[in-house]
Amino acid sequence: LLSTMQRILVTGGCGYIGSHTLVSLLTSTTTTYSVVVIDNLANSSPESLHRVADICSLTNFSINSDGSAGQDSDGRLSFRKVDCCDPIALRGVFDEFQSEGGFTAAIHFAGLK
């Protein structure tokens, strides 16, 4: 199933604009997307991802106990606590998803106030 989805990387996906974009992607009726959110949570909260999961009726979205990663049971919404300014951690996300086809596109909303 995941091989037919387009995987989109969304930086800053826990923020206001990013989380609204996630809802648009995950509820698209023309294309099936899975999204990987990277956010350092400096200006946001992982609670926004729980709300996105609820709005989009994703099942069993959870973030692990140390807050570093999360995913729903179908792999449509994944989260990695990564700072875009950390090239090693960022490369790790790309490497992690490379075996599953990598990313179709990236949408960059990360920024510091």
Side-chain angles (χ1 to χ4, degrees):
L1 181 64
L2 283 178
S3 63
T4 63
M5 291 188 196
Q6 293 191 37
R7 183 175 294 108
I8 309 296
L9 177 68
V10 180
T11 68
C14 293
Y16 180 82
I17 296 170
S19 62
H20 282 75
T21 300
L22 296 178
V23 171
S24 292
L25 290 168
L26 292 167
T27 59
S28 172
T29 58
T30 59
T31 305
T32 303
Y33 294 103
S34 67
V35 293
V36 176
V37 174
I38 60 172
D39 201 303
N40 69 2
L41 303 176
N43 297 314
S44 58
S45 166
E47 179 58 33
S48 64
L49 296 177
H50 290 283
R51 292 180 182 157
V52 166
D54 288 344
I55 290 167
C56 298
S57 301
L58 301 178
T59 55
N60 300 318
F61 178 79
S62 64
I63 295 176
N64 61 16
S65 60
D66 68 0
S68 64
Q71 187 166 310
D72 71 299
S73 56
D74 294 324
R76 301 236 9 248
L77 176 60
S78 300
F79 167 72
R80 301 296 180 267
K81 184 177 179 185
V82 168
D83 190 322
C84 289
C85 295
D86 181 343
I88 294 170
L90 192 58
R91 170 51 51 197
V93 173
F94 278 86
D95 290 346
E96 176 184 354
F97 289 93
Q98 185 59 44
S99 66
E100 300 173 23
F103 299 104
T104 304
I107 305 173
H108 180 53
F109 294 121
L112 295 175
K113 293 180 187 177

